[in-house]
């Protein structure tokens, strides 16, 4: 088993380039099933989730080649989705909408992903039902079939990102107009819609809570560069706030009004946004803050664990309220081993302490694992983070990027 070994206490200085967005690339890879023309995705991040989505595409006889520039081509042929691959990531659920659009039916083994909550797909299924898809739920799988391929109107009771993407994947090739209400407004959804539009899809209202899709009979190939990864970008910003120092991030995925920037400023950081870059200067005196996660434009749940690390390093007590995933807090148990003071009750936690010391800690999921990397970089002494494979799901070589900023971090086999 590998581990990250970190000698903490070095401030971060220099510049770092962020990858393209994991959460934008994954639905685009599923979207490649919708055409037999060539799809080229430029600057794809070299992360495990992308590799698994490429393997899933090959199940349908598509060739998905290349690392940084991924080219997907070939006829999409009907096939069974293997459960061992679907169990590896949540985004495998996106083959639901894509397969229904292309083949009219699909048997989807229930998707996996990080253990940060129950993560059911009931909203995907009830929305598809209301568009004329029959759904049979079995033990560990769901079988869906198109009974009438027509548009319609769907109202999502919660703006699920995955359900919104599945509805888009399904309805772009439907007949007539589909009105999608209560949908997710995340920037990755807007980017995914731009990608689909570059294939010839007709969609209005991306970024708003109602979108209108006018079905087309075929989609064409495209070449597309996904947006920068706002979560990776945010992770480096928070890392600098945690360790101290001053860094420049090339490839800004954040918008001016992003709540992360407001929270970091509340903590005392100075931030300057430029065109496709962002600079941060950490504060010596870290002030406490409060945040409440929620669907966009609320604070991103994916950035919450890293802010938990910052809270543990800040003066006073910070309040973290998690409203999206019920098991997001598992990283806090590990932070406590490093000296954080935590009072947790249900979906909120008060976190403080002011300093961290090194320890051997366990990543339980992708973003919780990233929070522990930040903790190790900021702690006094040596930290070993076990289970880096969770971190590999969303970050391209963080040890190299952090080392280029002056951190003492290595990836090594754990003895
Ligand atoms: C996506 C992101 C993930 C991010 C999340 C919220 C990808 C690949 N992943 O995940 O990084 O943290 O959005 O911004 O883009 N839910 C249900 N029933 C459903 C669907 C969702 O109860 O049918 C619940 C989930 O259990 C969760 C909440 O709704 O508690 C949010 O889920 P959703 O927005 O669907 O997130 P994902 O698409 O899984």
């Amino acid at each position: 088993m590998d581990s990250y070994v970190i000698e903490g206490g070095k401030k971060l200085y220099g510049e770092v380039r962020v990858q393209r967005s994991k959460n934008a690339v994954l639905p685009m890879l599923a979207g490649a099933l919708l055409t037999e023309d060539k799809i080229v995705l430029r600057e794809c991040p070299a992360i495990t989730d992308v590799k698994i989505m490429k393997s899933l595409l090959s199940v349908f006889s598509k060739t998905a080649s290349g690392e940084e520039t991924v080219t997907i081509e070939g006829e999409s042929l009907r096939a069974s989705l293997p459960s061992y691959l679907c169990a590896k990531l949540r985004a495998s659920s996106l083959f639901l909408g894509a397969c229904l659009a292309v083949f009219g039916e699909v048997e989807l083994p229930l998707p996996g992903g990080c253990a940060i909550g129950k993560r059911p797909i009931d909203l995907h299924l009830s929305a598809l039902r209301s568009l004329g898809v029959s759904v049979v739920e079995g033990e560990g799988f769901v079988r869906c079939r198109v009974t009438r391929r027509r548009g319609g109107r769907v109202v999502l009771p919660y703006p699920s990102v995955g359900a919104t993407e599945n509805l888009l994947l399904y309805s772009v090739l439907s007949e007539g107009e589909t009105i999608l209400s209560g949908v997710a407004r995340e920037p990755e959804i807007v980017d995914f819609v731009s990608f689909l539009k570059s294939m010839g899809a007709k969609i209005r209202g991306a970024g708003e809570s109602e979108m209108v899709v006018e079905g087309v009979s075929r989609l064409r190939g495209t070449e597309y560069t996904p947006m920068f990864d706002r979560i990776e970008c945010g992770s480096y910003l928070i890392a600098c706030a945690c360790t101290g120092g001053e860094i420049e991030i090339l490839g800004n995925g954040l918008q001016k009004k992003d709540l992360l920037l407001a929270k970091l400023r509340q903590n005392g950081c100075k931030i300057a946004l430029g065109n496709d870059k962002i600079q941060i200067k950490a504060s010596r005196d870290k002030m406490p803050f409060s945040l409440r996660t929620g669907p966009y434009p609320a604070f991103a749940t994916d950035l919450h664990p890293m802010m938990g690390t910052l809270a543990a390093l800040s003066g006073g007590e910070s309040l973290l309220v998690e409203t999206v995933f019920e098991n997001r807090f598992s990283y806090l148990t590990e932070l406590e081993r490093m000296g954080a003071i935590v009072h947790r009750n249900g979906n909120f936690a008060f976190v403080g302490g002011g300093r961290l010391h090194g320890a051997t800690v366990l990543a339980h999921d992708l973003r919780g694992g990233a929070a522990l990397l930040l903790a190790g970089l900021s702690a006094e002494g040596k930290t070993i983070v076990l289970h880096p494979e969770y971190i590999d799901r969303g970050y391209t070589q963080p040890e190299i990027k952090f080392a280029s900023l002056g951190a003492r971090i290595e990836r090594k086999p754990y003895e």
Side-chain angles (χ1 to χ4, degrees), residues 27 93 225 268 325 367:
S93 62
T225 308
F325 290 111
R367 305 302 171 186

Side-chain angles (χ1 to χ4, degrees), residues 187 227-231 233-235 237 249 251-261 264 273-274 278 296 303:
M227 63 180 277
F228 287 110
D229 196 316
R230 68 188 168 108
I231 306 300
C233 177
S235 305
L237 287 175
I249 296 174
N252 171 28
L254 293 164
Q255 288 168 8
K256 223 173 167 175
K257 285 197 219 138
D258 197 298
L259 277 180
L260 173 67
L261 304 178
L264 289 173
L273 254 90
I278 178 162
Y296 193 83
L303 288 170

Side-chain angles (χ1 to χ4, degrees), residues 22-23 26 90-91 116 118-124 158-163 165 186 301-302 324-326 328 367:
K22 159 177 126 28
N23 288 354
L26 298 180
R90 171 83 175 163
I116 48 178
K118 293 197 281 286
R119 308 189 89 176
I121 54 165
D122 55 321
L123 298 174
H124 305 226
Y158 178 89
S160 154
V161 171
E165 289 162 349
E186 267 68 3
T301 174
D302 285 350
V324 182
F325 290 111
E326 60 272 25
R328 254 304 179 213
R367 305 302 171 186

